[in-house]
Amino acid sequence: MPTRFLDPASPLGEPALTEDGSLVVDGWELRVRISLRRRRLGLTIERDRSLTLHVPKGCEVRRAEDFVRSSAGWIEAKARLSEERRQLHPTRSLRDGEIHRYLGRDHRLLIVDDTSDEAPVPAVRLVAGRLRLDSAVAADPMLARKAIADWYSRAGQHWTRRRLQPWAARMDVPEPTVRVRDLGHRWGSYRVGAADNGVISLHWAVFQLPIHLVDYVVAHELAHVRVTGHGPEYWRLLGRALPECRRLKTELDELGRRAWMGDLA
């Protein structure tokens, strides 16, 4: 997701922006994210073409508006590029035999009747290379979608817990808490914690991708433990741990467009 940074002068005595609020400037609506560590303003265009404004704590509204207006040409250029590379995410019908991927490998969906008198089993399980979905859940597409997303979340959380510590050590950063959930159109995010090492959140859909791309997303977010934004310092840090990071970013941009994000046919 493209990002632009600038640090214009800050006027005094102006009303300040609030976390998770919004700002409308010349027809653009921007979601506001505040960072205690940030000193500069930043703009991010998300994969759904929405705009996120990253600001330091206490940033005045006028300063933010001036920054957005000065970025008009950049926003329009990136929006055109985003349209050219618009998402090609597939839809799924969640029918028997349908292909679903986990860590880059294909698994066929198998609708089964789990009517055993033994202890209840999860609605979705990966057994002998088949992604088994309970028929009672499969009868309702929305329930089935939630059950599959929940399975990806559980499996991804378990996988990442084992993968995170070696990457954190490699990048010489404290190990944050990991959560896997629906992040909309973002692969991952990092938020500073008040009393711990912060929280990395990963989209459940990222675990459809090959392992080397999941590793890239993990490393990408771990770099934010040290550096906010995506400026030169950020890429130097990530590049030391992952020299091929630029190539992997391009591969993620291309392959990620074809990942299933939960859309139903």
Side-chain angles (χ1 to χ4, degrees):
M1 53 190 72
T3 306
R4 183 177 190 265
F5 299 97
L6 190 65
D7 191 15
S10 171
L12 299 175
E14 294 289 332
L17 296 168
T18 58
E19 172 69 5
D20 290 330
S22 63
L23 180 70
V24 178
V25 181
D26 296 344
W28 288 308
E29 183 173 359
L30 305 99
R31 189 167 74 114
V32 176
R33 294 290 300 274
I34 295 174
S35 171
L36 297 176
R37 299 185 301 167
R38 178 180 289 275
R39 290 180 294 176
R40 302 180 299 166
L41 284 80
L43 263 176
T44 300
I45 298 183
E46 310 293 350
R47 291 203 303 278
D48 63 352
R49 299 179 63 191
S50 65
L51 295 170
T52 302
L53 178 64
H54 306 272
V55 301
K57 184 175 177 59
C59 179
E60 297 84 2
V61 171
R62 183 185 299 177
R63 179 186 178 192
E65 291 174 340
D66 289 346
F67 171 59
V68 173
R69 290 191 177 103
S70 74
S71 306
W74 182 88
I75 293 172
E76 291 168 357
K78 293 301 182 183
R80 286 193 298 270
L81 182 62
S82 176
E83 177 61 24
E84 292 170 2
R85 297 178 176 176
R86 64 186 180 276
Q87 305 301 307
L88 302 174
H89 298 306
T91 59
R92 293 281 186 259
S93 60
L94 307 184
R95 295 178 181 173
D96 196 73
E98 188 176 63
I99 295 293
H100 289 260
R101 292 182 176 86
Y102 176 58
L103 297 178
R105 301 187 66 177
D106 290 351
H107 300 282
R108 290 195 178 276
L109 193 66
L110 180 65
I111 310 299
V112 296
D113 292 318
D114 278 324
T115 56
S116 169
D117 292 333
E118 299 176 3
V121 296
V124 178
R125 296 180 293 155
L126 183 60
V127 180
R130 292 292 191 97
L131 198 62
R132 296 167 64 95
L133 173 63
D134 181 77
S135 58
V137 176
D140 184 326
M142 293 306 295
L143 282 180
R145 179 207 180 278
K146 182 180 184 305
I148 292 174
D150 287 347
W151 178 82
Y152 273 115
S153 296
R154 293 192 305 272
Q157 182 102 15
H158 178 73
W159 186 89
T160 307
R161 281 174 179 163
R162 294 180 289 117
R163 204 79 168 182
L164 189 67
Q165 192 279 329
W167 274 109
R170 182 174 179 176
M171 300 180 72
D172 192 26
V173 298
E175 186 177 343
T177 301
V178 176
R179 294 175 183 162
V180 179
R181 56 192 181 90
D182 195 321
L183 292 176
H185 290 267
R186 292 177 296 159
W187 291 123
S189 68
Y190 172 75
R191 301 203 72 169
V192 179
D196 53 24
N197 297 329
V199 177
I200 281 180
S201 294
L202 301 174
H203 198 303
W204 58 262
V206 81
F207 295 96
Q208 298 170 62
L209 301 174
I211 288 175
H212 66 281
L213 291 183
V214 184
D215 276 339
Y216 167 76
V217 175
V218 170
H220 181 103
E221 299 306 332
L222 278 173
H224 286 305
V225 176
R226 292 273 187 230
V227 184
T228 36
H230 297 91
E233 184 183 355
Y234 170 86
W235 288 106
R236 280 195 295 271
L237 172 62
L238 184 58
R240 284 197 295 269
L242 200 59
E244 66 275 28
C245 60
R246 296 284 189 175
R247 178 183 62 79
L248 293 173
K249 180 183 184 303
T250 299
E251 186 179 349
L252 176 64
D253 289 343
E254 290 300 317
L255 193 58
R257 295 162 65 197
R258 294 167 176 82
W260 180 58
M261 307 298 287
D263 295 326
L264 299 178

